[in-house]
Amino acid sequence: MAKQKDPDRKLIAQNKRARHDYLILDTYECGLVLTGTEVKSLRQGRASLADGFVQIDGGEAWLHNVHIPEYAQGTWTNHSARRRRKLLMHRAEIDKLGAKSQEAAHTIVPLALYFYKGRAKIEIALAKGKKEYDKRQTLREKQDRRETDKAVSAARRRQRA
């Protein structure tokens, strides 16, 4: 079933590799504390979530290693491309994520960066690392599902004719 496209949501960057490498347990939507040049750079659609991760430090959630390139028309006020950025979340969510991320093999990864009604948001996920055989199993299930859907649609076409 296709996802409904939200007209208020403008996708900037997506971390497809995270869904392949990790088993997604829970997702959260957070705001970001950004500088003016970072927002302008994001509005141009420039960002990379590839190496990003979230760390809970001193009761606050911080986003590390997300690359937002410098704004081309920026001056001396330009930002550092890989600086750590504070996430805006409720205290209960931060505490819950902090406790869960302390468990073995759990991490917090960014999945998508987007604008929602003019505000920069990031979707993060509590995730557990997959082993190589888990990745192969996931790909096999996806391929089987695709083949099944193809066979069902072919049978429906034959039935209509």
Side-chain angles (χ1 to χ4, degrees):
M1 193 158 135
K3 288 184 182 178
Q4 294 292 328
K5 185 164 179 160
D6 189 356
D8 294 330
R9 183 175 161 157
K10 181 186 173 234
L11 187 66
I12 300 165
Q14 203 171 19
N15 190 356
K16 293 180 181 180
R17 191 78 191 159
R19 295 198 185 272
H20 177 73
D21 289 341
Y22 298 99
L23 175 65
I24 307 299
L25 303 174
D26 202 4
T27 61
Y28 298 89
E29 181 182 64
C30 313
L32 285 160
V33 176
L34 300 172
T35 64
T37 55
E38 286 175 322
V39 175
K40 289 181 179 189
S41 187
L42 287 177
R43 290 213 184 274
Q44 292 177 339
R46 302 171 61 205
S48 173
L49 301 174
D51 300 328
F53 65 95
V54 176
Q55 194 171 37
I56 308 296
D57 184 31
E60 296 178 335
W62 295 92
L63 182 66
H64 295 269
N65 282 352
V66 169
H67 186 263
I68 300 175
E70 290 186 354
Y71 182 57
Q73 286 80 33
T75 58
W76 59 271
T77 59
N78 236 336
H79 64 277
S80 173
R82 288 202 183 265
R83 74 175 188 92
R84 71 183 197 152
R85 295 164 180 92
K86 187 175 179 179
L87 296 180
L88 303 173
M89 300 175 72
H90 291 283
R91 169 70 50 214
E93 289 177 335
I94 293 173
D95 294 341
K96 183 179 174 184
L97 268 176
K100 292 275 189 175
S101 66
Q102 295 301 320
E103 294 178 15
H106 284 82
T107 188
I108 308 167
V109 294
L111 297 179
L113 182 61
Y114 53 90
F115 281 106
Y116 182 72
K117 295 183 179 178
R119 308 259 187 207
K121 301 284 184 179
I122 189 159
E123 183 180 13
I124 62 172
L126 179 66
K128 186 174 182 178
K130 283 186 185 177
K131 303 282 188 220
E132 193 64 36
Y133 57 84
D134 290 335
K135 294 177 190 178
R136 285 193 298 264
Q137 181 66 27
T138 304
L139 288 173
R140 195 173 300 118
E141 288 171 1
K142 191 175 181 180
Q143 184 180 4
D144 290 345
R145 213 174 310 119
R146 200 176 301 132
E147 288 174 2
T148 304
D149 292 344
K150 198 179 208 180
V152 167
S153 65
R156 285 184 182 156
R157 272 195 304 271
R158 283 193 303 270
Q159 207 173 37
R160 279 188 249 147

